[in-house]
Amino acid sequence: MKHPFHLKAVWNGGRNSEGHIDAGGLKTVISIPQEMGGPGTGTNPDEMLLGAAATCYLITLAAMLERADITPLELTLESEATVDVTNNIFTYERIIHKPRIVLRDEATEAEFAKAERLAHLAEQSCMISRAVAGNVSIETQPSVVKAEV
């Protein structure tokens, strides 16, 4: 079964203009980021690729934990991307995912080990990670901790 996704975009002007995208649940202004000499309004492809990779990873991890009967009290994620600009060539180099999985105080050592293992496996199972494999380095640095009482 195939699932099509659609996006409509409008861009009026040159490099330092802004545009708009509409992809169903994602409707926003787009432009080149200020750090790269643009106006910095709305979002940009760099943030959207990081957002796609991070949300895919997080949803995949949540599903894998659920299938393993591990219910975290809290599941959060911080992700970071690195884009290299050398000789006006832009290269999306690396994404680091830093999930934080908080388990109940009674969780067993086996559950902690499994949660950490799944945090690494989720990156390999995420379709966005697989789509950029070989082009962008993706690293996972999980933290699996007990709930604070």
Side-chain angles (χ1 to χ4, degrees), residues 42-103:
T43 191
N44 56 70
D46 310 284
E47 291 174 344
M48 287 192 293
L49 182 56
L50 178 60
T55 55
C56 181
Y57 171 80
L58 187 61
I59 291 167
T60 301
L61 176 55
M64 292 175 83
L65 289 168
E66 181 179 278
R67 283 193 297 274
D69 288 324
I70 297 174
T71 306
L73 297 175
E74 184 179 322
L75 176 58
T76 58
L77 177 66
E78 290 186 25
S79 293
E80 173 184 314
T82 303
V83 175
D84 178 64
V85 182
T86 302
N87 297 325
N88 278 335
I89 297 172
F90 294 72
T91 304
Y92 210 103
E93 288 187 330
R94 181 177 183 185
I95 295 173
I96 301 173
H97 295 306
K98 298 176 184 178
R100 184 170 186 270
I101 305 167
V102 179
L103 299 180

Side-chain angles (χ1 to χ4, degrees), residues 7-12 18-22 27-31:
L7 180 141
K8 291 182 182 179
V10 175
W11 187 275
N12 294 316
E18 63 180 40
H20 298 59
I21 60 170
D22 182 339
K27 296 170 183 33
T28 189
V29 173
I30 56 170
S31 74

